[in-house]
Amino acid sequence: MRSIKYLALFFLVLSSLYSKAQDIIVIKEGNFIRGTIKATNFSSVVFRNDEESMVQYEAKDIKEFVWNGETYVSKPILINKRMEFRFFRLLEQGTVNLYSIGGNTMAAEPPQKRAKVRPSVAVGGGTGGLGGGIGISIGGGRRSEADQPKRVMPTTYFIERLGTGPLMEIPVEGANSEGKAQHIKNILLQKLTGSEDMIKRINATETFDASQVKTLVVDYNSIKK
């Protein structure tokens, strides 16, 4: 009977810790803060700290953040001939790293009747690739979360192998074509080297999607462990 009570207490404590799980901002190695991430546009991130204050961090000023168990790493990328920093969602890590930018950029919250502070992400139509017309603002609107339109950015994928040059975009989204497939093959053959089986798999693939690319990278990293 006593063991059952101890087991019930253990699950109660575990549940309490889980319900208080927080997001993390890593300023630099060994220096991090906890709180709640509200939104990101991949160049900035809105963060509510333990004092309930809203803070915005630029990608150039922090190392990474962990949001809902996923890691977003700050890395430099060339945009309009200028080197800028962006947050990249880490999809696979190893000899070759796979990242993405885009998707749902707002934290999921239950509907609320009133809110004193609410972040909103505005995606504009300016030019400049990743940097065009994207911003984060913090406002005091009273609309419930259920009434707010869902903020979703197009997803773009990037591949990296340290020592072989900068991040390279893999254009898996959108319509497929022979030229596009060959372009993706060339990138993968450049990064996933040293495995005859992997070379055969890449060359045998006629069209690529995000899932196929991730599977290839995951399998390659398992070979190179």
Side-chain angles (χ1 to χ4, degrees), residues 118-133:
R118 183 181 303 281
S120 63
V121 176
V123 181
T127 59
L130 296 176

Side-chain angles (χ1 to χ4, degrees), residues 90-206:
L90 182 60
L91 303 177
E92 168 63 17
Q93 185 175 33
T95 302
V96 172
N97 300 326
L98 188 65
Y99 306 93
S100 73
I101 284 181
N104 185 8
T105 61
M106 296 289 290
E109 293 185 356
Q112 300 177 15
K113 292 182 179 180
R114 299 182 63 181
K116 294 181 180 179
V117 181
R118 183 181 303 281
S120 63
V121 176
V123 181
T127 59
L130 296 176
I134 303 177
I136 293 181
S137 62
I138 302 177
R142 295 190 177 185
R143 295 173 60 190
S144 71
E145 193 71 23
D147 295 332
Q148 297 285 350
K150 191 174 184 180
R151 278 80 170 182
V152 178
M153 295 170 58
T155 303
T156 309
Y157 296 86
F158 295 84
I159 194 169
E160 173 191 54
R161 181 168 186 160
L162 296 179
T164 64
L167 289 169
M168 296 185 69
E169 180 180 348
I170 304 180
V172 293
E173 296 299 306
N176 290 304
S177 67
E178 184 176 344
K180 178 179 174 180
Q182 187 58 53
H183 177 60
I184 295 174
K185 282 184 183 182
N186 293 341
I187 294 173
L188 294 176
L189 290 171
Q190 179 182 339
K191 301 298 182 181
L192 310 183
T193 59
S195 169
E196 290 298 324
D197 178 64
M198 187 60 60
I199 292 173
K200 290 178 181 178
R201 287 175 61 183
I202 294 171
N203 284 324
T205 305
E206 297 182 358

Side-chain angles (χ1 to χ4, degrees), residues 11-75:
F11 282 113
L12 182 62
V13 172
L14 187 64
S15 175
S16 175
L17 290 174
Y18 181 80
S19 65
K20 294 180 180 178
Q22 293 176 309
D23 302 318
I24 299 172
I25 296 279
V26 180
I27 307 298
K28 59 183 180 180
E29 201 69 42
N31 180 11
F32 63 91
I33 53 177
R34 295 180 182 273
T36 303
I37 290 172
K38 306 302 293 182
T40 183
N41 62 0
F42 298 95
S43 60
S44 303
V45 59
V46 173
F47 184 77
R48 186 174 67 199
N49 58 30
D50 289 338
E51 288 73 39
E52 298 298 313
S53 299
M54 300 293 281
V55 184
Q56 180 170 314
Y57 292 93
E58 303 297 321
K60 64 182 177 64
D61 297 325
I62 68 175
K63 183 176 184 291
E64 62 188 44
F65 65 86
V66 180
W67 186 16
N68 294 330
E70 293 187 302
T71 300
Y72 295 71
V73 183
S74 175
K75 301 188 72 67

